[in-house]
Coordinates of all heavy atoms in Angstrom, one line a residue:
Q187 N -3.2 4.3 66.8 CA -3.2 5.0 65.5 C -2.0 4.6 64.7 O -0.8 4.3 65.1 CB -3.0 6.5 65.8 CG -4.2 7.1 65.5 CD -3.9 8.7 65.6 OE1 -2.9 9.2 65.9 NE2 -5.0 9.4 65.6
V188 N -2.3 4.3 63.4 CA -1.3 3.9 62.4 C -1.0 5.1 61.6 O -1.8 5.8 61.1 CB -1.8 2.7 61.5 CG1 -0.8 2.4 60.4 CG2 -2.3 1.6 62.2
K189 N 0.2 5.3 61.5 CA 0.8 6.4 60.7 C 0.8 6.1 59.3 O 1.4 5.0 58.9 CB 2.1 7.1 61.3 CG 2.0 7.6 62.6 CD 3.4 8.0 62.8 CE 3.5 8.9 64.1 NZ 4.8 9.4 64.4
A190 N 0.4 6.9 58.3 CA 0.5 6.6 57.0 C 1.9 6.9 56.5 O 2.5 7.8 56.9 CB -0.5 7.3 56.2
R191 N 2.4 5.9 55.7 CA 3.8 6.1 55.2 C 3.8 7.1 54.1 O 2.9 7.2 53.2 CB 4.4 4.9 54.6 CG 5.0 3.9 55.6 CD 5.8 3.0 54.9 NE 5.3 1.7 55.1 CZ 5.9 0.6 54.6 NH1 6.7 0.6 53.7 NH2 5.3 -0.6 54.7
A192 N 4.8 8.0 54.1 CA 4.9 9.0 53.1 C 5.6 8.3 51.8 O 6.7 7.8 51.9 CB 5.8 10.2 53.5
G193 N 4.8 8.4 50.8 CA 5.4 7.8 49.4 C 6.2 8.9 48.7 O 6.4 10.0 49.1
P194 N 6.7 8.5 47.5 CA 7.4 9.5 46.6 C 6.3 10.6 46.4 O 5.2 10.4 46.2 CB 7.9 8.7 45.4 CG 7.0 7.6 45.4 CD 6.5 7.3 46.9
P195 N 6.9 11.8 46.1 CA 6.0 12.8 45.9 C 5.4 12.6 44.4 O 6.1 11.9 43.6 CB 7.1 14.0 45.7 CG 8.4 13.5 45.6 CD 8.4 12.2 46.1
P196 N 4.2 13.1 44.1 CA 3.6 13.0 42.8 C 4.4 13.5 41.6 O 5.0 14.5 41.9 CB 2.2 13.6 43.0 CG 2.4 14.5 44.1 CD 3.5 13.9 45.0
T197 N 4.3 12.8 40.7 CA 5.0 13.3 39.4 C 4.2 14.3 38.7 O 3.1 14.1 38.5 CB 5.3 12.1 38.3 OG1 6.0 11.0 39.1 CG2 6.1 12.5 37.3
P198 N 4.9 15.4 38.5 CA 4.1 16.6 37.9 C 3.8 16.3 36.4 O 4.5 15.4 35.8 CB 5.2 17.7 37.9 CG 6.4 17.2 37.9 CD 6.2 15.9 38.7
P199 N 2.7 16.7 36.0 CA 2.4 16.3 34.5 C 3.3 16.9 33.5 O 3.8 17.9 33.8 CB 0.9 16.9 34.3 CG 0.8 18.0 35.4 CD 1.7 17.5 36.6
A200 N 3.5 16.1 32.4 CA 4.3 16.7 31.3 C 3.8 18.0 30.7 O 2.7 18.1 30.7 CB 4.6 15.6 30.3
A201 N 4.8 18.8 30.5 CA 4.5 20.1 29.8 C 3.9 19.8 28.5 O 4.3 19.0 27.7 CB 5.7 21.0 29.7
P202 N 2.8 20.5 28.1 CA 2.0 20.2 26.8 C 3.0 20.4 25.6 O 2.9 19.8 24.7 CB 0.9 21.2 26.8 CG 0.8 21.7 28.2 CD 2.0 21.5 29.0
G203 N 3.9 21.4 25.7 CA 4.8 21.7 24.6 C 5.8 20.5 24.4 O 6.1 20.2 23.2
L204 N 6.2 19.9 25.5 CA 7.1 18.8 25.5 C 6.5 17.5 24.8 O 7.1 16.8 24.0 CB 7.6 18.3 26.9 CG 8.6 17.2 26.9 CD1 9.9 17.5 26.1 CD2 8.8 16.9 28.2
V205 N 5.1 17.4 25.1 CA 4.5 16.1 24.6 C 4.2 16.3 23.0 O 4.5 15.5 22.2 CB 3.0 16.0 25.2 CG1 2.2 14.9 24.5 CG2 3.2 15.5 26.6
A206 N 3.9 17.6 22.6 CA 3.7 18.0 21.2 C 5.0 17.8 20.4 O 5.0 17.3 19.4 CB 3.1 19.4 21.0
T207 N 6.0 18.3 21.0 CA 7.4 18.2 20.4 C 7.8 16.7 20.2 O 8.3 16.3 19.1 CB 8.5 18.9 21.3 OG1 8.1 20.2 21.3 CG2 9.8 18.7 20.5
S208 N 7.5 15.8 21.3 CA 8.0 14.5 21.1 C 7.1 13.7 20.0 O 7.6 12.9 19.3 CB 7.5 13.6 22.5 OG 8.4 14.4 23.5
V209 N 5.8 14.1 20.0 CA 4.9 13.4 19.0 C 5.4 13.9 17.6 O 5.5 13.1 16.7 CB 3.5 13.8 19.2 CG1 2.5 13.5 18.0 CG2 3.0 13.1 20.4
A210 N 5.7 15.2 17.4 CA 6.3 15.7 16.3 C 7.5 15.0 15.7 O 7.7 14.7 14.5 CB 6.4 17.1 16.2
I211 N 8.4 14.8 16.7 CA 9.8 14.1 16.3 C 9.4 12.6 16.0 O 10.0 12.2 15.0 CB 10.7 14.2 17.5 CG1 11.2 15.7 17.7 CG2 11.9 13.3 17.3 CD1 12.0 16.0 18.9
L212 N 8.6 12.0 16.7 CA 8.3 10.7 16.4 C 7.7 10.5 15.0 O 8.0 9.6 14.3 CB 7.4 9.9 17.5 CG 7.0 8.6 17.4 CD1 8.2 7.6 17.3 CD2 6.1 8.2 18.5
A213 N 6.7 11.3 14.8 CA 6.1 11.4 13.4 C 7.1 11.6 12.3 O 7.0 11.0 11.2 CB 5.0 12.4 13.4
A214 N 8.0 12.5 12.5 CA 9.0 12.7 11.4 C 10.0 11.6 11.3 O 10.4 11.3 10.1 CB 9.9 14.1 11.9
V215 N 10.3 11.0 12.3 CA 11.1 9.8 12.2 C 10.5 8.7 11.4 O 10.9 8.0 10.4 CB 11.6 9.3 13.5 CG1 12.3 7.8 13.4 CG2 12.5 10.3 14.2
A216 N 9.2 8.4 11.8 CA 8.3 7.5 11.2 C 8.2 7.8 9.6 O 8.3 6.8 8.6 CB 7.0 7.2 11.7
L217 N 7.8 9.0 9.2 CA 7.9 9.4 7.8 C 9.1 9.3 7.0 O 9.2 8.9 6.0 CB 7.4 11.0 7.8 CG 7.1 11.5 6.4 CD1 6.0 10.8 5.8 CD2 6.7 13.0 6.5
S218 N 10.3 9.6 7.8 CA 11.5 9.4 7.1 C 11.8 7.9 6.7 O 12.3 7.7 5.7 CB 12.6 10.1 7.9 OG 12.4 11.3 8.1
V219 N 11.5 7.2 7.7 CA 11.7 5.7 7.6 C 10.9 5.2 6.3 O 11.3 4.4 5.5 CB 11.4 4.9 8.7 CG1 11.3 3.4 8.4 CG2 12.5 5.2 9.6
A220 N 9.5 5.6 6.3 CA 8.7 5.3 5.2 C 9.1 5.7 3.9 O 9.1 5.1 2.9 CB 7.2 5.8 5.5
I221 N 9.6 7.0 3.8 CA 10.0 7.6 2.5 C 11.2 6.8 2.0 O 11.4 6.5 0.8 CB 10.2 9.1 2.6 CG1 8.9 9.8 2.8 CG2 10.9 9.6 1.5 CD1 9.0 11.2 3.0
Y222 N 12.2 6.6 2.9 CA 13.5 5.8 2.6 C 13.1 4.4 2.1 O 13.6 4.1 1.0 CB 14.3 5.8 3.8 CG 15.6 5.0 3.4 CD1 16.6 5.6 2.8 CD2 15.8 3.7 3.9 CE1 17.8 4.9 2.7 CE2 16.9 2.9 3.8 CZ 18.0 3.6 3.0 OH 19.1 2.9 2.7
G223 N 12.3 3.8 2.7 CA 11.9 2.4 2.3 C 11.1 2.3 1.0 O 11.5 1.5 0.1
T224 N 10.3 3.3 0.8 CA 9.6 3.4 -0.5 C 10.5 3.8 -1.6 O 10.3 3.2 -2.8 CB 8.5 4.4 -0.5 OG1 7.6 4.2 0.6 CG2 7.7 4.6 -1.7
Q225 N 11.5 4.7 -1.4 CA 12.5 5.0 -2.4 C 13.3 3.9 -2.9 O 13.6 3.6 -4.0 CB 13.4 6.2 -2.0 CG 14.5 6.5 -3.0 CD 15.6 7.4 -2.2 OE1 15.7 7.6 -1.0 NE2 16.4 8.0 -3.0
K226 N 13.7 3.1 -2.0 CA 14.4 1.8 -2.2 C 13.7 0.8 -3.1 O 14.1 0.3 -4.0 CB 14.9 1.2 -1.0 CG 16.0 1.9 -0.4 CD 17.3 2.0 -1.2 CE 18.4 2.9 -0.6 NZ 19.4 3.1 -1.4
Q227 N 12.4 0.8 -2.9 CA 11.5 -0.1 -3.6 C 11.3 0.4 -5.0 O 11.3 -0.3 -5.9 CB 10.1 -0.3 -2.9 CG 10.2 -1.0 -1.6 CD 8.8 -0.9 -0.9 OE1 7.9 -0.3 -1.3 NE2 8.5 -1.8 0.1
L228 N 11.2 1.6 -5.2 CA 10.9 2.1 -6.4 C 12.1 2.0 -7.4 O 12.0 1.9 -8.5 CB 10.6 3.6 -6.5 CG 9.3 4.0 -5.9 CD1 9.0 5.4 -5.8 CD2 8.1 3.3 -6.5
E229 N 13.3 1.8 -6.8 CA 14.7 1.6 -7.5 C 14.7 0.2 -8.0 O 15.6 0.0 -8.9 CB 15.8 2.1 -6.8 CG 15.8 3.5 -6.5 CD 17.0 4.0 -5.5 OE1 17.6 3.1 -5.1 OE2 17.0 5.3 -5.2
G230 N 14.1 -0.7 -7.4 CA 14.2 -2.1 -7.7 C 13.4 -2.6 -8.9 O 12.8 -1.9 -9.4
A231 N 13.8 -3.8 -9.2 CA 13.2 -4.4 -10.5 C 11.8 -5.1 -10.0 O 11.7 -5.3 -8.8 CB 14.1 -5.5 -11.0
L232 N 11.1 -5.5 -10.9 CA 9.9 -6.2 -10.7 C 10.3 -7.7 -10.2 O 11.1 -8.3 -10.9 CB 9.0 -6.3 -11.9 CG 8.4 -5.0 -12.4 CD1 7.6 -5.1 -13.7 CD2 7.5 -4.4 -11.4
L233 N 9.6 -8.2 -9.3 CA 10.0 -9.6 -8.6 C 8.8 -10.4 -8.8 O 7.6 -10.0 -8.9 CB 10.3 -9.4 -7.3 CG 11.6 -8.6 -7.1 CD1 11.7 -8.4 -5.6 CD2 12.8 -9.1 -7.6
Y234 N 9.1 -11.7 -8.7 CA 8.1 -12.8 -8.6 C 6.9 -12.7 -9.7 O 7.1 -12.7 -10.9 CB 7.5 -12.9 -7.2 CG 8.7 -12.9 -6.2 CD1 8.9 -12.0 -5.3 CD2 9.5 -14.1 -6.2 CE1 10.0 -12.1 -4.3 CE2 10.5 -14.2 -5.3 CZ 10.8 -13.2 -4.3 OH 11.8 -13.4 -3.4
D235 N 5.7 -12.4 -9.2 CA 4.6 -12.3 -10.1 C 4.2 -10.9 -10.6 O 3.2 -10.7 -11.2 CB 3.3 -12.9 -9.6 CG 2.9 -12.3 -8.2 OD1 3.6 -11.4 -7.8 OD2 1.9 -12.8 -7.7
D236 N 5.1 -10.0 -10.2 CA 4.9 -8.6 -10.7 C 4.9 -8.3 -12.1 O 4.1 -7.7 -12.7 CB 6.1 -7.6 -10.0 CG 6.1 -7.5 -8.6 OD1 5.0 -7.9 -7.9 OD2 7.0 -7.2 -8.0
K237 N 5.6 -9.1 -12.7 CA 5.7 -8.9 -14.3 C 4.3 -9.4 -14.8 O 3.8 -8.6 -15.8 CB 6.7 -9.8 -14.9 CG 8.2 -9.2 -14.6 CD 9.3 -10.0 -15.2 CE 10.6 -9.3 -15.0 NZ 11.7 -10.2 -15.5
A238 N 3.8 -10.5 -14.4 CA 2.5 -10.9 -14.9 C 1.3 -9.9 -14.6 O 0.5 -9.6 -15.3 CB 2.1 -12.3 -14.4
A239 N 1.4 -9.5 -13.3 CA 0.5 -8.6 -12.8 C 0.5 -7.1 -13.3 O -0.6 -6.6 -13.5 CB 0.5 -8.5 -11.2
V240 N 1.5 -6.8 -13.6 CA 1.8 -5.4 -14.2 C 2.0 -5.3 -15.7 O 1.1 -4.8 -16.4 CB 3.0 -4.6 -13.5 CG1 3.3 -3.2 -14.1 CG2 2.8 -4.5 -12.0
L241 N 2.9 -6.0 -16.2 CA 3.3 -6.1 -17.6 C 2.2 -6.8 -18.4 O 2.0 -6.5 -19.6 CB 4.6 -6.4 -17.8 CG 5.8 -5.7 -17.2 CD1 7.1 -6.1 -17.5 CD2 5.6 -4.1 -17.6
G242 N 1.7 -8.0 -17.8 CA 0.8 -8.7 -18.6 C -0.6 -8.5 -18.4 O -1.5 -9.0 -19.1
S243 N -1.1 -7.4 -17.7 CA -2.5 -7.2 -17.4 C -2.9 -6.1 -18.5 O -2.4 -4.9 -18.5 CB -2.6 -6.5 -16.0 OG -3.9 -6.1 -15.9
P244 N -3.9 -6.4 -19.4 CA -4.5 -5.4 -20.2 C -5.1 -4.2 -19.5 O -5.1 -3.2 -20.1 CB -5.5 -6.2 -20.9 CG -5.4 -7.7 -20.6 CD -4.5 -7.7 -19.4
V245 N -5.5 -4.5 -18.3 CA -6.2 -3.4 -17.6 C -5.0 -2.3 -17.1 O -5.2 -1.1 -17.5 CB -6.9 -3.8 -16.3 CG1 -7.4 -2.6 -15.6 CG2 -8.1 -4.7 -16.7
V246 N -4.0 -2.8 -16.7 CA -2.8 -2.0 -16.3 C -2.3 -1.3 -17.6 O -2.0 0.0 -17.5 CB -1.8 -2.8 -15.5 CG1 -0.6 -1.9 -15.2 CG2 -2.4 -3.3 -14.2
Q247 N -2.0 -2.0 -18.4 CA -1.4 -1.5 -19.8 C -2.2 -0.6 -20.6 O -1.7 -0.1 -21.6 CB -0.9 -2.7 -20.5 CG 0.2 -3.5 -20.0 CD 1.4 -2.7 -19.6 OE1 1.9 -2.0 -20.4 NE2 1.9 -2.9 -18.3
G248 N -3.5 -0.4 -20.2 CA -4.5 0.4 -20.9 C -4.9 -0.2 -22.2 O -5.5 0.6 -23.1
E249 N -4.9 -1.5 -22.4 CA -5.4 -2.1 -23.6 C -6.9 -2.3 -23.6 O -7.6 -2.5 -24.6 CB -4.7 -3.3 -23.8 CG -3.2 -3.4 -23.9 CD -2.4 -4.7 -23.8 OE1 -3.2 -5.7 -23.5 OE2 -1.2 -4.6 -23.9
V250 N -7.5 -2.2 -22.5 CA -9.1 -2.4 -22.3 C -9.4 -1.0 -21.4 O -8.6 -0.4 -20.6 CB -9.4 -3.5 -21.5 CG1 -9.1 -4.8 -22.4 CG2 -8.8 -3.7 -20.1
P251 N -10.7 -0.6 -21.5 CA -11.1 0.5 -20.8 C -11.0 0.2 -19.2 O -11.0 -0.8 -18.7 CB -12.5 0.6 -21.1 CG -12.8 -0.2 -22.3 CD -11.8 -1.2 -22.4
L252 N -10.6 1.4 -18.6 CA -10.4 1.4 -17.1 C -11.6 0.9 -16.3 O -11.3 0.1 -15.3 CB -10.1 2.8 -16.7 CG -9.6 2.8 -15.2 CD1 -8.4 2.0 -14.9 CD2 -9.1 4.3 -14.9
S253 N -12.8 0.9 -16.9 CA -14.0 0.4 -16.2 C -13.9 -1.0 -16.0 O -14.6 -1.5 -15.1 CB -15.1 1.0 -17.0 OG -15.2 0.4 -18.1
R254 N -13.1 -1.8 -16.8 CA -13.0 -3.2 -16.8 C -12.4 -3.7 -15.5 O -12.4 -4.9 -15.2 CB -12.3 -3.8 -18.0 CG -12.9 -3.4 -19.3 CD -14.2 -3.9 -19.5 NE -14.2 -5.4 -19.5 CZ -15.2 -6.2 -19.5 NH1 -16.4 -5.7 -19.3 NH2 -15.1 -7.6 -19.5
V255 N -11.7 -2.8 -14.7 CA -11.1 -3.2 -13.5 C -12.1 -3.7 -12.5 O -11.7 -4.5 -11.7 CB -10.3 -1.9 -12.9 CG1 -11.2 -1.0 -12.3 CG2 -9.3 -2.4 -11.9
W256 N -13.3 -3.4 -12.7 CA -14.4 -3.9 -11.6 C -14.9 -5.2 -12.1 O -15.7 -5.7 -11.2 CB -15.5 -2.9 -11.7 CG -14.9 -1.4 -11.3 CD1 -14.9 -0.2 -12.0 CD2 -14.3 -1.0 -9.9 NE1 -14.3 0.7 -11.3 CE2 -14.0 0.3 -10.1 CE3 -14.1 -1.7 -8.7 CZ2 -13.4 1.0 -9.1 CZ3 -13.6 -1.0 -7.8 CH2 -13.1 0.3 -7.9
V257 N -14.6 -5.8 -13.3 CA -15.2 -7.0 -13.6 C -14.1 -8.0 -14.0 O -14.5 -9.1 -14.3 CB -16.1 -6.8 -14.9 CG1 -17.4 -5.9 -14.5 CG2 -15.5 -6.3 -16.1
R258 N -12.8 -7.6 -14.0 CA -11.8 -8.6 -14.3 C -10.9 -8.9 -13.0 O -11.1 -8.2 -12.1 CB -10.8 -7.9 -15.2 CG -11.3 -7.5 -16.7 CD -10.5 -8.1 -17.7 NE -11.2 -7.9 -19.0 CZ -10.3 -7.9 -20.1 NH1 -9.2 -8.2 -20.1 NH2 -10.9 -7.8 -21.3
D259 N -10.4 -10.1 -13.1 CA -9.7 -10.5 -11.9 C -8.3 -9.7 -11.8 O -8.1 -8.9 -12.6 CB -9.3 -12.0 -11.9 CG -8.6 -12.6 -13.1 OD1 -7.8 -11.7 -13.7 OD2 -8.6 -13.8 -13.4
F260 N -7.5 -10.1 -10.6 CA -6.4 -9.3 -10.6 C -5.5 -9.2 -11.7 O -4.7 -8.3 -12.0 CB -5.6 -9.8 -9.2 CG -4.4 -9.2 -9.0 CD1 -4.2 -7.9 -8.6 CD2 -3.2 -10.0 -9.1 CE1 -3.0 -7.3 -8.3 CE2 -1.9 -9.4 -8.9 CZ -1.9 -8.0 -8.4
W261 N -5.3 -10.4 -12.4 CA -4.4 -10.5 -13.5 C -4.9 -9.8 -14.8 O -4.0 -9.5 -15.8 CB -4.0 -12.0 -13.9 CG -3.7 -12.7 -12.5 CD1 -4.4 -13.4 -11.9 CD2 -2.4 -12.5 -11.9 NE1 -3.8 -13.8 -10.8 CE2 -2.5 -13.3 -10.8 CE3 -1.4 -11.8 -12.1 CZ2 -1.4 -13.4 -9.9 CZ3 -0.2 -11.9 -11.2 CH2 -0.4 -12.6 -10.1
G262 N -6.2 -9.3 -14.8 CA -6.6 -8.6 -15.8 C -7.0 -9.3 -17.1 O -7.7 -8.6 -18.0
K263 N -6.7 -10.6 -17.2 CA -7.0 -11.3 -18.4 C -8.4 -11.9 -18.5 O -9.0 -12.1 -19.6 CB -6.0 -12.4 -18.5 CG -4.6 -11.8 -18.8 CD -3.5 -12.9 -18.9 CE -2.2 -12.3 -19.0 NZ -1.7 -12.0 -20.2
D264 N -9.1 -12.3 -17.3 CA -10.2 -12.9 -17.4 C -11.4 -12.3 -16.6 O -11.1 -11.5 -15.6 CB -10.2 -14.3 -16.7 CG -9.2 -15.2 -17.4 OD1 -9.3 -15.3 -18.7 OD2 -8.2 -15.8 -16.8
D265 N -12.6 -12.2 -17.1 CA -13.7 -11.7 -16.3 C -13.9 -12.5 -15.1 O -13.5 -13.8 -15.1 CB -15.0 -11.7 -17.2 CG -15.0 -10.5 -18.1 OD1 -14.1 -9.6 -18.1 OD2 -15.9 -10.5 -18.9
L266 N -14.3 -12.0 -14.0 CA -14.6 -12.7 -12.8 C -15.6 -13.8 -13.0 O -15.5 -14.9 -12.2 CB -14.9 -11.8 -11.6 CG -13.8 -10.8 -11.1 CD1 -14.5 -9.8 -10.3 CD2 -12.8 -11.6 -10.3
S267 N -16.5 -13.6 -13.8 CA -17.6 -14.6 -14.1 C -17.0 -15.8 -15.1 O -17.6 -16.8 -15.1 CB -18.7 -14.0 -14.8 OG -18.3 -13.5 -16.0
S268 N -15.8 -15.7 -15.6 CA -15.3 -16.8 -16.4 C -14.8 -17.9 -15.5 O -14.2 -17.8 -14.4 CB -14.0 -16.2 -17.2 OG -13.4 -17.1 -17.8
K269 N -14.9 -19.2 -16.1 CA -14.3 -20.3 -15.5 C -12.8 -20.2 -15.3 O -12.2 -20.9 -14.5 CB -14.7 -21.6 -16.3 CG -16.1 -22.0 -16.2 CD -16.4 -23.2 -17.0 CE -17.9 -23.7 -16.9 NZ -18.1 -24.9 -17.6
E270 N -12.2 -19.6 -16.2 CA -10.6 -19.5 -16.3 C -10.2 -18.6 -15.2 O -9.0 -18.6 -14.7 CB -10.1 -19.0 -17.7 CG -10.3 -19.9 -18.7 CD -11.6 -20.1 -19.2 OE1 -12.5 -19.2 -19.3 OE2 -12.0 -21.2 -19.7
S271 N -11.0 -17.7 -14.7 CA -10.5 -16.8 -13.6 C -10.5 -17.5 -12.3 O -11.3 -18.3 -11.9 CB -11.5 -15.6 -13.5 OG -11.3 -14.8 -12.3
H272 N -9.3 -17.2 -11.6 CA -9.1 -17.7 -10.3 C -9.8 -16.9 -9.2 O -9.6 -17.2 -7.9 CB -7.6 -18.0 -9.9 CG -6.9 -16.7 -10.0 ND1 -6.9 -15.7 -9.2 CD2 -6.0 -16.4 -10.9 CE1 -6.1 -14.6 -9.5 NE2 -5.4 -15.0 -10.7
K273 N -10.5 -15.8 -9.7 CA -11.5 -15.0 -8.7 C -10.5 -14.0 -7.8 O -11.1 -13.8 -6.7 CB -12.4 -15.8 -7.9 CG -13.2 -16.9 -8.7 CD -14.1 -16.4 -9.8 CE -14.9 -17.4 -10.4 NZ -15.0 -17.3 -11.8
S274 N -9.5 -13.9 -8.1 CA -8.6 -12.8 -7.2 C -9.1 -11.5 -7.7 O -8.7 -11.0 -8.8 CB -7.2 -13.1 -7.4 OG -6.4 -12.1 -6.7
F275 N -9.6 -10.8 -6.8 CA -10.1 -9.6 -7.1 C -9.6 -8.3 -6.3 O -9.7 -8.3 -5.0 CB -11.7 -9.5 -6.7 CG -12.3 -8.2 -7.2 CD1 -12.4 -7.8 -8.5 CD2 -13.0 -7.5 -6.4 CE1 -13.1 -6.7 -8.9 CE2 -13.8 -6.4 -6.7 CZ -13.8 -6.0 -8.0
R276 N -8.7 -7.7 -6.8 CA -8.0 -6.4 -6.1 C -8.0 -5.2 -7.0 O -7.0 -4.8 -7.5 CB -6.5 -6.9 -5.9 CG -6.5 -8.0 -4.9 CD -5.0 -8.4 -4.7 NE -4.9 -9.6 -5.3 CZ -3.6 -10.3 -5.4 NH1 -2.5 -9.7 -5.0 NH2 -3.4 -11.4 -5.9
P277 N -9.1 -4.5 -7.0 CA -9.3 -3.4 -8.0 C -8.5 -2.3 -7.5 O -8.0 -1.6 -8.5 CB -10.8 -3.2 -8.0 CG -11.4 -3.8 -6.7 CD -10.4 -5.0 -6.4
L278 N -8.3 -2.0 -6.5 CA -7.7 -0.8 -5.9 C -6.0 -0.9 -6.1 O -5.4 -0.1 -6.7 CB -7.9 -0.5 -4.4 CG -9.3 -0.1 -4.1 CD1 -9.4 0.0 -2.7 CD2 -9.8 1.0 -4.9
V279 N -5.6 -2.2 -6.2 CA -4.2 -2.4 -6.4 C -4.0 -2.2 -7.9 O -3.1 -1.6 -8.4 CB -3.8 -3.8 -6.0 CG1 -2.4 -4.1 -6.4 CG2 -3.8 -3.9 -4.4
T280 N -4.9 -2.8 -8.6 CA -4.9 -2.7 -10.2 C -4.9 -1.2 -10.5 O -4.3 -0.7 -11.4 CB -6.0 -3.6 -10.8 OG1 -5.8 -4.9 -10.4 CG2 -5.7 -3.5 -12.2
L281 N -5.7 -0.5 -9.9 CA -5.8 0.9 -10.2 C -4.6 1.7 -9.9 O -4.3 2.6 -10.7 CB -7.0 1.6 -9.4 CG -8.4 1.2 -10.0 CD1 -9.5 1.7 -9.0 CD2 -8.6 1.8 -11.4
T282 N -4.0 1.3 -8.9 CA -2.8 2.1 -8.5 C -1.6 1.7 -9.6 O -0.8 2.5 -10.0 CB -2.1 1.8 -7.2 OG1 -1.9 0.4 -7.0 CG2 -3.1 2.2 -6.1
Y283 N -1.6 0.4 -10.0 CA -0.8 0.0 -11.1 C -1.0 0.8 -12.4 O -0.1 1.2 -13.0 CB -0.9 -1.6 -11.4 CG -0.3 -2.5 -10.3 CD1 -0.6 -3.8 -10.3 CD2 0.5 -1.9 -9.3 CE1 -0.1 -4.5 -9.4 CE2 1.0 -2.9 -8.3 CZ 0.8 -4.1 -8.4 OH 1.2 -5.0 -7.5
R284 N -2.3 1.0 -12.7 CA -2.7 1.7 -14.0 C -2.2 3.1 -13.8 O -1.6 3.8 -14.8 CB -4.1 1.6 -14.0 CG -4.7 2.3 -15.3 CD -4.4 1.8 -16.6 NE -5.1 2.6 -17.7 CZ -6.1 2.1 -18.3 NH1 -6.8 1.0 -18.0 NH2 -6.6 2.8 -19.4
L285 N -2.3 3.7 -12.6 CA -1.9 5.1 -12.4 C -0.3 5.3 -12.6 O 0.1 6.2 -13.2 CB -2.4 5.7 -11.0 CG -3.9 6.0 -10.9 CD1 -4.2 6.3 -9.5 CD2 -4.2 7.1 -11.8
N286 N 0.3 4.3 -12.0 CA 1.8 4.3 -12.2 C 2.1 4.1 -13.8 O 3.0 4.9 -14.1 CB 2.3 3.1 -11.4 CG 2.5 3.4 -10.0 OD1 2.7 4.6 -9.5 ND2 2.3 2.3 -9.1
H287 N 1.4 3.3 -14.5 CA 1.5 3.1 -15.8 C 1.5 4.4 -16.6 O 2.2 4.9 -17.4 CB 0.8 2.1 -16.3 CG 1.0 1.8 -17.9 ND1 2.2 1.3 -18.4 CD2 0.3 2.1 -18.8 CE1 1.9 1.2 -19.6 NE2 0.9 1.6 -20.0
I288 N 0.4 5.1 -16.3 CA 0.0 6.3 -16.9 C 1.1 7.5 -16.6 O 1.6 8.1 -17.6 CB -1.4 6.9 -16.4 CG1 -2.5 6.1 -17.0 CG2 -1.6 8.5 -16.9 CD1 -3.9 6.2 -16.4
F289 N 1.5 7.6 -15.4 CA 2.5 8.7 -15.0 C 3.9 8.3 -15.2 O 4.7 9.2 -15.5 CB 2.1 9.1 -13.5 CG 0.8 9.9 -13.5 CD1 -0.2 9.2 -12.8 CD2 0.5 11.0 -14.1 CE1 -1.4 9.8 -12.6 CE2 -0.6 11.7 -14.0 CZ -1.6 11.0 -13.3
V290 N 4.3 7.0 -15.0 CA 5.6 6.6 -15.2 C 6.0 5.8 -16.2 O 7.1 5.9 -16.9 CB 6.0 5.9 -13.8 CG1 7.4 5.5 -13.8 CG2 5.8 6.8 -12.6
G291 N 5.0 5.0 -16.8 CA 5.3 4.1 -17.8 C 5.7 2.8 -17.4 O 5.5 2.3 -16.1
N292 N 6.2 1.9 -18.3 CA 6.8 0.5 -17.8 C 7.8 0.8 -16.9 O 8.9 0.2 -16.7 CB 7.0 -0.3 -18.9 CG 5.6 -0.9 -19.7 OD1 4.7 -0.7 -19.0 ND2 5.7 -1.1 -20.9

């Protein structure tokens, strides 16, 4: 007969309250980091192509109807069907820029 070796005792399951608390702390830390990073971005200047995409876009600046966001390229100057358009289509990004322009301004 072979005797079975006794291993370490089984680990008891974590208490549900401890798991919930750990998840809440982790979520709070992640949210704090996200808010801190966003705050720093909002304090900064426009960089690279931001000026053309935000300040140069008639859609963002409210010079054309908002419905044009669905037919104009990202830069807002050309219709997607135009030969001059480079076909970059990011309507949700453009909509958020327009909302920022409405509520915050340039």
Side-chain angles (χ1 to χ4, degrees):
Q187 249 185 8
V188 177
K189 290 184 178 181
R191 277 200 242 170
T197 307
L204 180 61
V205 172
T207 302
S208 298
V209 169
I211 290 171
L212 183 61
V215 168
L217 182 63
S218 298
V219 169
I221 289 172
Y222 177 76
T224 303
Q225 177 191 12
K226 290 297 181 186
Q227 290 173 351
L228 293 175
E229 294 171 359
L232 295 174
L233 299 174
Y234 307 113
D235 59 0
D236 293 343
K237 288 182 182 176
V240 176
L241 301 178
S243 171
V245 176
V246 173
Q247 295 298 313
E249 298 167 6
V250 297
L252 187 57
S253 61
R254 302 296 296 166
V255 74
W256 304 110
V257 295
R258 296 229 177 168
D259 63 19
F260 174 66
W261 308 103
K263 296 184 185 267
D264 302 308
D265 282 352
L266 289 167
S267 60
S268 170
K269 287 182 181 181
E270 287 79 29
S271 172
H272 55 71
K273 313 298 187 226
S274 177
F275 185 61
R276 296 178 247 171
L278 297 179
V279 173
T280 305
L281 285 172
T282 62
Y283 288 164
R284 176 73 176 260
L285 288 173
N286 282 328
H287 178 72
I288 290 169
F289 293 111
V290 180
N292 286 336

